[in-house]
């Protein structure tokens, strides 16, 4: 690089060091706390000093320069790499600002292309103003030309009020994981062995013991109901807390040919991607959300997501376009994303008339096998009761699922919707399709059915991005032929 | 392209299941004639771990009469797998179409998978030691997809695999990412 280029923020070494320390924090802590009096402390300190020196030298050596049509990055201490990243190749921009970043007025910036195992560049850390300037340059350079695009003012497509975020917390169960971890953590301490805790539980224990007599069946039921209600309350409390920390101050912004989101209470996450790089849109609603008249909208972006590498960086990518809003609002937002068609105007077609019975049969067989096993090894009567309830539920589910299920295929998009209590719509442009497949199981063939699957990038490894089951075989072929022509 | 006589000719294939019957006009890449020998090896390797424990039990308990039974069982397993593979071979059809690669296969769970040329990111031609002995190779086609980022076409003649690789690549177009 002929000119010096830009450096990272002078305090970058601190953030690099903290990241490195995080990976060795546990052994270090163990050393400090359990090897007291030994020379281990000294070794630990020496290790930390080496890391700090490394972080310092690395951060000082890091340079980036906004070149003509490409970003130049130079990094490394002994083995220096100089990377030329064409602006057009940078698909995802991810920003992270935790409270420490915010204290220093800096941000961590990650630039990702569509493939490869790791981000093209990680700038840890630069000033917020510098990051903004960089993003502006990237934004102003669409795939075609830099000059003919008029400088668009960023438009806010959606911003969530705090009340919306609280409602989001009440409607979802995102707190389940945190709650589970908290309960797991509590059990680590074996609190039931502690005398004080035992004292605390003595009185309720006696009451419970009295209630346990057959005469107090009602009391038992009350107790269980209370416990369930308590657990539910805790779950919602944690969900609200999780929603607040992740989605507080959520904003969705359309800026030139990029779409960006920003949110977070303590740690602010920012992510952006080119609109034409959005792969698949998913709209969902749970039963609770439907009662509240709300839905959510998420998207996939193409990015390096290798198997077993679904780390934090994936969660940070552009995903939630609309965490919660009314159906009309979501339609309006989707329309802004390069004219995604409205769900209402798509030419929806129902699945095969036997879809409901096929779906029911599948659950029925599974339930029956499980119930038979339970009846043989445990008690026949309860097994029968549980079987009846499950089968009844499965029947309702299959009917409701099939009544709502439909697909739509025109020359531009393929869409699929399904669900009963929780409903989901998935939609993708056919041009984003990577692989097309028509598949038939033995059961499909018995009923002359088939399924059509279309895979896009960035959809995760579990299933095809769009998987339309229970289609009449000939219809499936027609759809596939149409998709093939449009791919 | 060497057509294998034992494979059904395209005309007799029961209801060819293309994505579009009219557009099946492409080059068919058949399985290598000796792929059955390769599969036989593989099936023997599958049968081996199943037959080892009973063999040990037979030897340890001095019931030597069991040994022929074990051998018979292993043979039966290999024959069953062979029969399944025969049906698989019948179902297999790999066609290079003007716009992409179409692979049909499956005995019970049947599928037809189509990868447009422009979506192919890169390709591999793999040969195991035994497969190399028979002149057989596996063509792997990689896309940017999520679930099927890798389409494997097994049992092609090595020359066919290389030819297919050379012809399936190239031609620009958008990669859809």
């Amino acid at each position: 690089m002929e000119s010096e280029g830009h450096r990272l923020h002078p305090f970058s070494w601190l953030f690099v060091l903290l990241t490195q320390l995080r990976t060795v924090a546990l052994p270090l802590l163990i050393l400090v706390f359990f090897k007291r009096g030994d020379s281990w402390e000294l070794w630990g300190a020496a290790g930390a000093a080496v890391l700090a020196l490394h972080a310092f030298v690395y951060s000082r050596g890091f340079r980036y320069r906004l070149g003509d049509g490409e970003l130049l990055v130079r990094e490394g201490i002994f083995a220096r790499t100089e990377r030329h990243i064409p602006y057009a190749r940078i698909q995802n921009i991810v920003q992270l600002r935790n409270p420490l970043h915010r204290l220093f007025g800096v941000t961590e910036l990650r630039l990702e292309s569509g493939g490869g195992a790791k981000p093209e560049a990680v700038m840890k850390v630069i000033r917020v103003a510098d990051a903004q300037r960089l993003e502006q340059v990237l934004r102003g350079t669409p795939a075609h030309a830099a000059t003919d695009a008029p400088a668009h003012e960023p438009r806010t497509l959606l911003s969530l009020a705090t009340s919306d975020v609280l409602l989001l917390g009440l409607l979802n169960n995102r707190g389940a994981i945190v709650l589970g971890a908290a309960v797991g953590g509590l059990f680590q301490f074996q609190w039931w062995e502690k005398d004080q805790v035992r004292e605390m539980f003595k009185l309720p224990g006696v009451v419970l013991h009295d209630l346990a007599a057959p005469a107090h069946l009602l009391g038992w039921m009350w107790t269980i109901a209370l416990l369930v209600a308590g657990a539910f309350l805790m779950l919602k409390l944690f969900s609200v807390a999780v929603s607040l920390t992740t989605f507080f101050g959520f904003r969705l912004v359309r800026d030139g040919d990029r779409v960006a989101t920003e949110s977070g209470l303590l740690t602010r996450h920012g992510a952006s991607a080119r609109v034409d790089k959005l792969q698949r849109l998913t709209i969902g609603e749970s039963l609770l959300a439907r009662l509240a008249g709300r839905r959510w909208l998420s998207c996939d972006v193409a990015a390096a997501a290798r198997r077993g590498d679904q780390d934090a960086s994936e969660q940070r990518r552009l995903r939630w376009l609309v965490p919660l809003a009314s159906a009309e609002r979501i339609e309006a937002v989707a329309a802004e994303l390069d004219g995604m068609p409205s769900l209402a105007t798509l030419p929806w077609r129902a699945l095969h008339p036997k879809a409901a019975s096929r779906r029911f049969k599948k659950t029925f067989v599974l339930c029956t096998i499980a119930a038979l096993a339970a009846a043989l090894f445990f008690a026949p009567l309860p097994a029968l009761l549980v079987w009846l309830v499950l089968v009844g539920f499965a029947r309702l589910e299959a009917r409701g699922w099939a009544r709502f299920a439909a697909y739509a295929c025109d020359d531009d998009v393929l869409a699929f919707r399904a669900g009963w209590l929780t409903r989901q719509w998935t939609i993708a442009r056919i041009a984003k399709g990577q692989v097309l497949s028509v598949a038939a199981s033995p059961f499909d063939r018995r009923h002359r059915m088939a399924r059509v699957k279309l895979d896009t990038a960035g959809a995760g490894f579990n299933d095809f991005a769009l998987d339309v089951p229970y289609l009449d075989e000939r219809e499936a072929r027609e759809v596939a032929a149409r998709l093939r022509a449009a791919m | 392209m060497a057509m294998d006589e034992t494979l059904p000719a395209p005309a007799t294939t029961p209801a060819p299941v293309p994505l579009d019957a009219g557009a099946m006009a492409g080059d068919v890449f058949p399985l290598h004639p000796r792929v059955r020998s390769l599969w036989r090896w593989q099936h023997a390797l599958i049968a081996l771990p199943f037959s080892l424990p009973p063999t040990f039990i037979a030897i340890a308990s001095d019931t030597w009469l069991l040994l022929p039974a074990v051998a018979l069982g292993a043979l039966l397993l290999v024959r069953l797998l062979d029969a399944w593979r025969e049906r698989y071979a019948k179902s297999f059809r790999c066609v290079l179409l003007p716009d992409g690669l179409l692979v049909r296969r499956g005995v019970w769970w049947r599928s037809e998978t189509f990868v447009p040329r422009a979506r192919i990111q890169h390709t591999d031609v793999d040969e195991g030691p035994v497969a190399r002995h028979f002149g057989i190779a596996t063509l792997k086609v990689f896309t940017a997809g999520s679930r099927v980022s890798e389409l494997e076409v097994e049992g092609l003649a090595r020359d066919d695999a290389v030819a297919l690789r050379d012809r399936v690549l190239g031609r620009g177009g958008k990669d859809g990412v």
Side-chain angles (χ1 to χ4, degrees):
Chain A
M1 256 178 245
E2 60 276 27
S3 88
E4 267 292 88
H6 302 280
R7 289 183 174 196
L8 298 178
H9 189 269
F11 274 105
S12 285
W13 61 271
L14 181 64
F15 293 89
V16 176
L17 178 65
L18 282 175
T19 320
Q20 283 173 339
L21 280 182
R22 204 177 299 157
T23 54
V24 293
L26 202 66
L28 221 64
L29 279 178
I30 290 170
L31 284 181
V32 170
F33 282 103
F34 293 96
K35 293 281 181 184
R36 222 170 299 173
D38 279 340
S39 58
W40 285 104
E41 270 171 329
L42 217 65
W43 283 111
V50 169
L51 281 180
L53 188 70
H54 175 270
F56 185 75
V57 175
Y58 170 84
S59 309
R60 293 299 293 174
F62 192 104
R63 297 277 191 290
Y64 70 94
R65 195 158 64 86
L66 297 162
D68 190 20
E70 60 180 14
L71 177 74
L72 276 80
V73 173
R74 194 181 67 182
E75 63 177 325
I77 298 174
F78 300 113
R80 280 240 163 110
T81 47
E82 197 174 303
R83 212 169 309 139
H84 296 241
I85 313 160
Y87 294 142
R89 265 192 64 202
I90 296 169
Q91 299 195 354
N92 306 319
I93 304 175
V94 178
Q95 274 199 45
L96 175 80
R97 301 178 64 206
N98 67 27
L100 192 65
H101 288 107
R102 293 166 81 174
L103 192 72
F104 281 95
V106 293
T107 178
E108 183 186 321
L109 192 72
R110 297 161 75 95
L111 307 173
E112 297 183 331
S113 67
K118 40 180 207 178
E120 292 287 335
V122 180
M123 294 177 190
K124 189 182 268 182
V125 294
I126 57 177
R127 271 187 205 88
V128 173
D130 288 345
Q132 267 167 3
R133 204 157 47 89
L134 210 121
E135 278 213 62
Q136 228 157 32
V137 171
L138 293 175
R139 222 178 289 133
T141 318
H144 35 285
T147 43
D148 62 351
H152 287 288
E153 275 299 300
R155 274 182 304 131
T156 301
L157 301 183
L158 182 98
S159 59
L160 283 189
T162 308
S163 57
D164 290 331
V165 179
L166 289 175
L167 181 63
L168 174 64
L170 288 175
L171 292 181
N172 72 35
N173 294 323
R174 283 197 176 85
I177 299 167
V178 185
L179 186 61
V183 170
L186 273 179
F187 274 85
Q188 290 286 312
F189 292 110
Q190 307 200 321
W191 42 266
W192 59 89
E193 297 284 339
K194 300 246 184 329
D195 287 341
Q196 303 95 311
V197 180
R198 289 196 161 193
E199 286 299 318
M200 245 170 68
F201 277 93
K202 216 170 210 169
L203 188 66
V206 168
V207 174
L208 273 179
H209 189 262
D210 278 356
L211 288 175
H216 292 290
L217 195 65
L218 204 67
W220 254 115
M221 285 167 83
W222 269 111
T223 316
I224 290 174
L226 273 176
L227 278 174
V228 169
F232 184 75
L233 207 70
M234 286 297 281
L235 175 66
K236 287 301 168 191
L237 210 68
F238 273 91
S239 297
V240 166
V242 170
S243 277
L244 270 179
T245 44
T246 38
F247 289 116
F248 181 81
F250 179 91
R251 255 171 23 111
L252 174 72
V253 177
R254 173 77 195 251
D255 193 353
D257 62 353
R258 298 194 80 89
V259 60
T261 61
E262 198 193 316
S263 66
L265 183 64
L266 298 172
T267 299
R268 296 286 290 176
H269 287 288
S272 84
R274 293 237 310 268
V275 174
D276 60 332
K277 299 296 178 191
L278 300 185
Q279 303 286 321
R280 172 185 67 164
L281 297 182
T282 306
I283 297 173
E285 67 176 16
S286 64
L287 181 63
L288 281 176
R290 181 151 68 243
L291 292 176
R294 303 292 162 97
R295 289 176 185 169
W296 50 82
L297 170 70
S298 68
C299 70
D300 299 327
V301 290
R306 294 276 168 275
R307 251 164 250 260
D309 181 34
Q310 287 169 308
D311 58 352
S313 71
E314 195 199 349
Q315 294 164 12
R316 287 179 201 161
R317 263 174 220 137
L318 188 68
R319 173 148 193 85
W320 295 103
L321 295 178
V322 180
L324 197 71
S326 66
E328 298 79 46
R329 202 66 219 273
I330 284 181
E331 295 268 293
V333 168
E336 293 276 354
L337 304 172
D338 271 9
M340 266 292 176
S342 141
L343 290 179
T345 59
L346 282 172
W348 292 105
R349 285 176 63 97
L351 304 182
H352 196 284
K354 283 185 187 159
S357 76
R358 290 256 339 254
R359 192 174 168 87
F360 170 63
K361 260 183 215 162
K362 201 156 94 186
T363 351
F364 177 81
V365 169
L366 284 175
C367 283
T368 309
I369 291 172
L372 274 178
L376 278 175
F377 293 109
F378 302 108
L381 196 66
L384 182 73
L385 283 175
V386 171
W387 178 79
L388 272 176
V389 170
L390 282 181
V391 164
F393 188 79
R395 179 115 187 99
L396 280 177
E397 194 272 345
R399 279 191 169 182
W401 185 91
R403 200 178 303 132
F404 178 66
Y407 76 97
C409 174
D410 60 18
D411 294 330
D412 185 31
V413 297
L414 177 68
F416 177 61
R417 66 172 201 216
W420 178 44
L421 298 179
T422 296
R423 288 173 170 179
Q424 191 166 298
W425 293 256
T426 44
I427 181 166
R429 286 190 192 286
I430 299 169
K432 294 286 175 207
Q434 294 285 337
V435 176
L436 168 65
S437 185
V438 179
S441 70
F443 312 106
D444 277 328
R445 281 186 286 132
R446 217 171 96 194
H447 299 279
R448 299 203 163 280
M449 292 191 206
R451 66 200 307 151
V452 173
K453 304 192 263 191
L454 185 72
D455 202 15
T456 64
F461 302 116
N462 298 324
D463 222 329
F464 280 75
L466 276 146
D467 185 352
V468 186
Y470 307 130
L471 288 178
D472 177 72
E473 194 189 338
R474 197 183 308 157
E475 200 175 337
R477 297 210 178 291
E478 282 167 16
V479 171
R482 198 164 183 184
L483 293 175
R484 179 185 159 196
M487 262 168 99
Chain B
M1 217 142 300
M3 247 329 259
D4 183 6
E5 271 73 34
T6 56
L7 282 173
T12 62
T13 313
V17 262
L19 300 163
D20 177 5
M24 280 291 273
D27 291 324
V28 179
F29 286 78
L31 292 172
H32 190 280
R34 293 185 73 188
V35 75
R36 285 166 187 77
S37 312
L38 173 64
W39 287 342
R40 175 80 39 86
W41 274 97
Q42 292 175 353
H43 298 161
L45 276 178
I46 294 172
L48 195 65
F50 286 103
S51 44
L52 276 181
T55 308
F56 284 132
I57 291 170
I59 293 171
S61 61
D62 257 357
T63 42
W64 297 95
L65 272 175
L66 255 177
L67 279 182
V70 171
L72 208 68
L75 212 65
L76 197 70
L77 181 60
V78 171
R79 289 301 303 160
L80 271 174
L81 288 170
D82 280 354
W84 169 72
R85 282 289 198 174
E86 198 53 46
R87 290 184 62 188
Y88 174 85
K90 278 210 172 68
S91 77
F92 180 88
R93 198 170 153 82
C94 169
V95 194
L96 181 65
L97 300 169
D99 57 340
L101 184 66
L102 177 64
V103 178
R104 182 191 75 192
R105 60 188 160 192
V107 176
W108 288 294
W109 271 263
R110 293 187 187 159
S111 71
E112 276 171 85
T113 306
F114 174 72
V115 185
R117 274 175 200 270
R119 303 292 192 272
I120 295 171
Q121 300 278 345
H122 64 278
T123 55
D124 276 0
V125 174
D126 280 7
E127 295 168 277
V130 184
R132 188 158 54 227
H133 170 75
F134 291 112
I136 294 172
T138 299
L139 176 71
K140 290 183 181 172
V141 173
F142 295 87
T143 71
S146 326
R147 179 70 171 79
V148 265
S149 53
E150 183 186 333
L151 178 73
E152 284 190 26
V153 190
E154 293 156 324
L156 297 175
R158 190 185 182 278
D159 295 342
D160 277 1
V162 172
L164 188 53
R165 176 194 68 190
D166 291 343
R167 289 179 55 195
V168 86
L169 278 174
R171 295 203 197 173
K174 293 201 160 185
D175 64 0
V177 178

